[in-house]
């Protein structure tokens, strides 16, 4: 049998990417901004189907950074961030010289916990500083508790940056993720549900804010014939070539979403009769996940652990990975305040991401299934 490596999350091409790239080359728009970028933004704005304004940027990380800049986060300010996430959610807080305050997860969605969030806000206020923003993440495409989290943010008048990097296509109560926060962000990195090779987007709800985002993203050039700058600028705009890839990719977003959700059903089917392994599922129909990655929790017993299962996959040349290691346990972030208990930490100990790319073939699925079945049969 062909034993080529099965990766965690690979993207597919629609075939239309070439055309858009060609157009960019032919019209000589190979720099940042312009026709493909404008079109990509409007395709995304229509997709979100809300009063959403989209600025196409060169990464999800720069989108988070610009959201902090636009919210006026400065040195010494405090910003709350979900601990269970990828480091790119939290790094931009440090770019601004601000202080990250990490908050634990809850078990229904694995995302930021409303109780610990409120406890953190109260304690920070008591200590003398109201947090400037909250970064909440739809981890693995699974929506966080939008109503609860936003009610708390409103109560204290704190802005939300909705890290929707992994959640394009997910929704909560029928409304698309990315459009809930004061700012939302997407990532189009190569491993996400669609890609622009590298790229991201910032979503907000006014044309004026979008214009300011693009102003900062293109070196903060004041209105003058020479180059005049009165604010710090960034080189964060998406290129016209990358936007062309994105336009091609948007044509298969629905198909990718469908494949990823089918892969999730495939895993639920396999693990249904296996004791001690639970595939993450949305708690009710208010939560609609794109299942960017399918994830499981593995309870340890006998010689079964998350790590022994990972090694079994690795031996079969199949990539899998533990869940994100919480930020408050990371060497770079250890010294910052943390509110919570052991929820995220325990998820990290037991949790595991399975191959979920929309390109998985029937043969790939058979190989994956065989590893799982054999692994548990021999125990
Ligand atoms: C991928 C990702 C980002 C960063 O996006 P890039 O486009 O890679 O910069 C931010 N947050 C989360 C949760 C992500 O998964």
């Amino acid at each position: 049998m062909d034993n080529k490596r099965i990766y965690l999350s690979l993207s597919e091409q629609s075939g239309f990417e070439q055309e858009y790239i060609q157009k960019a080359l032919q019209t000589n728009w190979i720099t940042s901004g312009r026709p493909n970028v404008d079109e990509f933004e409007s395709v995304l704005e229509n997709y979100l189907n809300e009063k959403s304004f989209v600025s196409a940027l060169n990464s999800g990380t720069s989108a988070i950074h610009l959201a902090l800049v636009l919210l006026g986060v400065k040195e010494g300010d405090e910003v709350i961030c979900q601990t269970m996430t990828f480091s790119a959610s939290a790094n931009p807080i440090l770019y601004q010289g601000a202080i990250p305050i990490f908050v634990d997860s809850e078990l229904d969605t694995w995302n930021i916990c409303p109780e610990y969030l409120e406890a953190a806000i109260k304690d920070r206020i008591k200590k003398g500083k109201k947090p400037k923003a909250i970064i909440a993440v739809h981890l693995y495409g699974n929506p966080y508790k939008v109503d609860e989290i936003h009610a708390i943010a409103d109560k204290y008048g704190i802005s939300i940056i909705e890290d929707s990097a992994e959640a394009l296509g997910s929704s909560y109560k029928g409304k698309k993720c990315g459009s809930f926060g004061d700012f939302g962000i997407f990532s189009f990195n190569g491993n996400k549900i669609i890609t622009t090779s590298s790229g991201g987007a910032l979503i907000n709800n006014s044309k004026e804010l979008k214009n300011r985002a693009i102003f900062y993203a293109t070196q903060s050039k004041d209105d003058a014939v020479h180059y005049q700058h009165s604010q710090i600028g960034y080189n964060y705009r998406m290129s016209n070539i990358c936007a062309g890839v994105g336009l091609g990719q948007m044509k298969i977003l629905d198909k990718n979403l469908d494949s990823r959700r089918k892969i999730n059903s495939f895993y639920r089917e396999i693990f249904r009769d296996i004791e001690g392994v639970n595939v993450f599922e949305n708690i009710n129909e208010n939560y609609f996940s794109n299942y960017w990655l399918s994830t499981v929790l593995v309870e340890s017993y006998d010689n079964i652990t998350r790590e022994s299962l990972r090694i079994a996959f690795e031996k079969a040349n199949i990539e899998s990975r533990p869940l994100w290691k919480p930020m408050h346990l990371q060497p770079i972030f250890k010294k910052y305040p943390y509110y919570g208990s052991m929820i995220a930490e325990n998820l990290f100990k037991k949790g595991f991401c399975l191959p979920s790319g929309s390109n998985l073939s029937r043969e790939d699925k058979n190989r994956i299934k065989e590893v799982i079945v054999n692994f548990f049969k021999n125990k």
Side-chain angles (χ1 to χ4, degrees), residues 294-350:
S294 283
T295 52
V296 290
L297 293 181
V298 183
E299 302 297 334
S300 299
Y301 62 94
D302 301 337
N303 49 359
I304 291 176
T305 60
R306 176 258 267 164
E307 189 53 15
S308 59
L309 182 56
R310 194 190 68 77
I311 289 165
F313 274 119
E314 200 50 54
K315 278 192 183 137
N317 206 20
I318 298 169
E319 187 186 23
S320 62
R321 193 174 298 152
L323 298 187
W324 300 124
K325 180 174 177 175
M327 292 305 111
H328 72 281
L329 303 176
Q330 299 284 359
I332 178 83
F333 292 121
K334 246 188 348 225
K335 65 178 181 213
Y336 297 106
Y338 169 66
Y339 293 83
S341 56
M342 299 287 290
I343 307 283
E345 204 163 331
N346 281 330
L347 288 170
F348 172 62
K349 274 188 197 136
K350 296 180 195 171

Side-chain angles (χ1 to χ4, degrees), residues 59-61 64 85-86 88-89 137 163 165-166 187 189 192 199:
S59 75
T61 310
I64 296 172
T85 188
F86 177 49
S89 304
V137 188
D163 183 343
E166 302 172 358
S187 165
N189 191 28
K192 300 294 181 349

Side-chain angles (χ1 to χ4, degrees), residues 32 42 50 204 230 242 248 264 308 334 358:
S32 66
S42 82
E50 287 295 325
N204 61 264
S230 38
C242 291
N264 191 259
S308 59
K334 246 188 348 225
S358 36

